[in-house]
Amino acid sequence: MPMSNPPPSNPISASAAANDVAGEPSPLQWAEIVQQLGAEIAGPLSLALERIHDLVSTGQIDRQSLRALRESVSQAREAGMLGQQLARLASGRLKLARERMHLTQVLRGVLAQRSRETQARGIQVRQILKPVEIMADGSLLFALLNALMDWALASTHSSIDLRLDLTPWPAKARLVCRFAHRSLDLLADPRAAQSPQALNSLAWRLLEQTALTMGVLPLRESEAGITELTLEFPQTLGDEPNAAAATPDREETLGGGRRNKQGSEHAADYLPSSNSKPLAGSHVLIISQQRELRSLIQAAVQHMGLIVDLVGSMAEASQFCLDGLPHGIVFESALRDEDFELLRAEVMREVTDFCFVEVLDEQHLTQLSTATADGLARISRLHLEDALASVLMFELSKGL
């Protein structure tokens, strides 16, 4: 059962007062989330267990069954990670900061980070964004925009349209996300009036609870197979209702299509500031052919709330990055070869301040990327436990 019940009125007029009724989620709502979390973990694992039983009984598994097994385990893992982020919101220990954030720049930075993922899925993200500044917690703002993209990408059967503008007086920043939640050729089907499960998944729960924690009520409406979500930010800075009109809208297309020349030339202008990159929920890829070293790196960052993936070679890392970039890469120095340089060059073309940390076997002084000639951070494996967390804290939050 979704926690945001869309009213029958016009979406624009209804959203104008969305934040006036924002409130804390109730214990009953959290109980529903926990129940859903259990279902989204147990379901894929049950399917995986069936595949394993088949493997044990027959002694063999075909490629299709192996792919299905991997997908089931991946789905359960993703649900578990969403649960960790929801638990962080429910803990009551979050201390929200009030920072001046350029919402447009932060959003463009998130879209730049996710562009490879959208391209891999063949999904266009069309933007019409006015320049807007707000007061918000930078960490939660970054998490909110990523949760929005996670939910929209998992739910859409079309392009994703994003519009950022200001409401009439009193001026408030308003971000609208619109997409088709059913295939366009099925909209005439009577079942199209029903909302698919993806719209109310754990990804939606995380998006919803992050918004509520920030004091932003997500107003969601669905009609004729089209879903529209409005996020209205209550603390918009210094803009009169018509202030943004002086700057023409800029429209771009990301993923599954081309970006216009202006967008590609000025991608660096829209990277988020250091305040907008939290550690909790950031995604780090560890590359090492040594299982022991992978375990050491993972243990050194396990308290940071990071999402961690492990691969054993640069070829595997390149394949992993095809579907979407992590926020940082920690790699074994012995694997620094031509394949690494190609991967690094490709990544840096998309995200110019991407986080790379090289782990050396021998004794070495810990260095941040700002202190090295090639812009790579370096650390000895002897210092992983003591210093890797601090290095990542800087490298994941650095800005141009």
Side-chain angles (χ1 to χ4, degrees):
M1 180 178 68
M3 285 177 279
S4 292
N5 296 317
S9 56
N10 179 274
I12 301 302
S13 60
S15 66
N19 293 295
D20 297 337
V21 293
E24 292 297 322
S26 68
L28 177 60
Q29 290 171 328
W30 280 119
E32 292 173 352
I33 290 174
V34 172
Q35 184 179 18
Q36 184 173 353
L37 173 62
E40 291 199 22
I41 292 177
L45 287 183
S46 296
L47 294 175
L49 189 58
E50 290 181 15
R51 302 284 182 184
I52 293 173
H53 285 324
D54 291 341
L55 173 61
V56 171
S57 62
T58 63
Q60 59 185 3
I61 186 171
D62 57 33
R63 182 171 298 179
Q64 183 177 358
S65 297
L66 181 61
R67 185 184 301 112
L69 175 60
R70 184 183 294 113
E71 289 176 355
S72 295
V73 174
S74 177
Q75 289 171 6
R77 177 176 179 267
E78 289 175 6
M81 292 188 295
L82 288 173
Q84 290 179 326
Q85 296 178 65
L86 283 163
R88 178 170 170 257
L89 296 175
S91 67
R93 296 193 298 268
L94 288 181
K95 296 181 179 179
L96 302 188
R98 293 181 73 254
E99 308 169 81
R100 187 183 186 109
M101 306 297 302
H102 199 298
L103 177 56
T104 315
Q105 289 183 1
V106 177
L107 177 56
R108 289 190 188 277
V110 169
L111 294 175
Q113 184 78 38
R114 306 291 295 262
S115 63
R116 182 175 292 210
E117 181 181 357
T118 59
Q119 290 168 3
R121 298 190 186 195
I123 297 173
Q124 293 183 339
V125 181
R126 299 184 298 204
Q127 315 163 43
I128 301 178
L129 309 180
K130 291 182 180 293
V132 176
E133 287 187 296
I134 61 173
M135 293 296 293
D137 182 283
S139 174
L140 281 182
L141 177 61
F142 183 76
L144 175 67
L145 297 178
N146 270 294
L148 173 64
M149 289 302 298
D150 288 338
W151 173 70
L153 287 170
S155 305
T156 186
H157 287 263
S158 67
S159 60
I160 298 172
D161 293 330
L162 295 175
R163 186 178 75 251
L164 178 60
D165 58 14
L166 295 171
T167 64
W169 182 259
K172 294 180 181 179
R174 177 175 55 194
L175 175 60
V176 179
C177 175
R178 192 172 187 272
F179 56 84
H181 61 252
R182 290 196 180 279
S183 179
L184 298 180
D185 57 359
L186 297 177
L187 292 183
D189 192 313
R191 292 171 296 178
Q194 303 173 0
S195 295
Q197 288 186 345
L199 287 180
N200 298 318
S201 63
L202 276 179
W204 164 253
R205 300 289 197 178
L206 179 61
L207 166 57
E208 184 179 45
Q209 296 308 320
T210 304
L212 290 173
T213 300
M214 296 176 66
V216 177
L217 183 67
L219 180 68
R220 197 183 90 194
E221 298 188 299
S222 298
E223 184 178 358
I226 303 296
T227 290
E228 182 173 290
L229 172 66
T230 300
L231 299 174
E232 192 174 289
F233 297 82
Q235 295 181 308
T236 302
L237 292 176
D239 279 320
E240 296 299 325
N242 297 320
T247 302
D249 296 350
R250 180 193 308 223
E251 183 170 358
E252 298 178 52
T253 299
L254 291 179
R258 63 179 180 83
R259 269 186 291 179
N260 67 19
K261 182 178 180 182
Q262 189 175 21
S264 61
E265 285 181 346
H266 298 283
D269 295 340
Y270 304 115
L271 294 175
S273 69
S274 60
N275 289 331
S276 70
K277 290 186 177 180
L279 294 183
S282 292
H283 185 190
V284 171
L285 178 64
I286 297 173
I287 311 171
S288 174
Q289 57 191 350
Q290 304 177 49
R291 178 177 298 178
E292 180 185 1
L293 181 55
R294 293 198 299 267
S295 298
L296 286 174
I297 297 172
Q298 192 170 18
V301 301
Q302 64 182 355
H303 65 286
M304 299 176 68
L306 300 171
I307 299 170
V308 176
D309 277 295
L310 309 160
V311 295
S313 69
M314 284 299 162
E316 291 179 32
S318 297
Q319 185 65 36
F320 181 93
C321 290
L322 286 177
D323 293 332
L325 293 179
H327 295 104
I329 289 177
V330 181
F331 68 99
E332 177 186 356
S333 182
L335 296 179
R336 185 171 181 180
D337 55 12
E338 184 178 349
D339 289 339
F340 167 76
E341 297 301 338
L342 290 173
L343 174 62
R344 183 187 178 208
E346 187 175 354
V347 170
M348 296 291 281
R349 279 196 295 269
E350 297 184 30
V351 183
T352 54
D353 62 339
F354 191 87
C355 165
F356 284 98
V357 180
E358 182 177 6
V359 180
L360 297 96
D361 275 335
E362 67 271 15
Q363 179 70 34
H364 193 279
L365 183 68
T366 299
Q367 295 176 300
L368 299 177
S369 59
T370 52
T372 61
D374 57 5
L376 294 180
R378 291 188 175 82
I379 186 172
S380 168
R381 66 183 296 164
L382 300 175
H383 302 148
L384 289 173
E385 183 178 356
D386 298 329
L388 181 58
S390 298
V391 171
L392 281 175
M393 187 176 299
F394 173 82
E395 297 297 332
L396 288 172
S397 62
K398 69 184 178 181
L400 293 179

